[in-house]
Amino acid sequence: PSFRATKDISIEDDIIEEIGRIYGYEKIPAALPHLPINLPEENSERYHKHRARDILSYGLGFAETYNYSFYSEKDVKNAHLPENAHLKLLNYLSAEQSNLRISLLPNILKNIQQNLRFFNALKLYEIGHIYSEKQEYFPQEEKWICGAVVRNFKNKNSENIFLDAKGALEEFLKKIGSKAYE
């Protein structure tokens, strides 16, 4: 119709659509485009992250934690980390989030403290980013993993906690394919 020519047709695809509509879409044979199909390159970092999660969560019974990339001055002191190595935020939202983390340990320690009220034994881990001031414009970002095996000392079987942590680490390294266990 002539009224569609002034408002509805502005590019080449609009003309092709109109021809198809008039000719009949059902008369146009369905065919896949002839394009080279290549698989995307494997993201090895993502693969190893998912593999580590599977081993720790399903194979070794650890619970994954998710924490912010910030913590407070108090958390820095509790973890005995050097205060001058941290990147201080200029416009932080709260005092609990004033430092960009250089370690996963302070947040894991907070997770342990919060969960020991409800559980006698914990196995926690986190895969997350830490930051250091090494680049000119932005901090250097690295992905790390941190784990903890904890038992409440009121529990009678707490003397074997070191062996439990060591065994979990050895099993993780074997399953992840560390060259130390080939």
Side-chain angles (χ1 to χ4, degrees), residues 101-118:
R101 67 182 176 187
I102 64 167
S103 172
L104 300 177
L105 187 61
N107 287 330
I108 288 284
L109 291 174
K110 280 174 53 174
N111 296 137
I112 291 168
Q113 181 184 18
Q114 292 166 352
N115 282 285
L116 275 179
R117 296 180 300 163
F118 307 108

Side-chain angles (χ1 to χ4, degrees), residues 16-57:
I16 294 169
E17 181 183 355
E18 289 301 316
I19 291 170
R21 189 179 61 77
I22 292 168
Y23 178 70
Y25 289 120
E26 69 281 350
K27 295 178 186 174
I28 301 172
L32 293 173
H34 297 288
L35 299 172
I37 300 173
N38 298 326
L39 292 173
E41 289 184 30
E42 182 181 345
N43 184 337
S44 64
E45 179 183 343
R46 187 176 185 182
Y47 168 80
H48 290 298
K49 181 179 176 181
H50 288 291
R51 178 82 176 116
R53 280 183 170 150
D54 288 345
I55 293 168
L56 288 167
S57 295

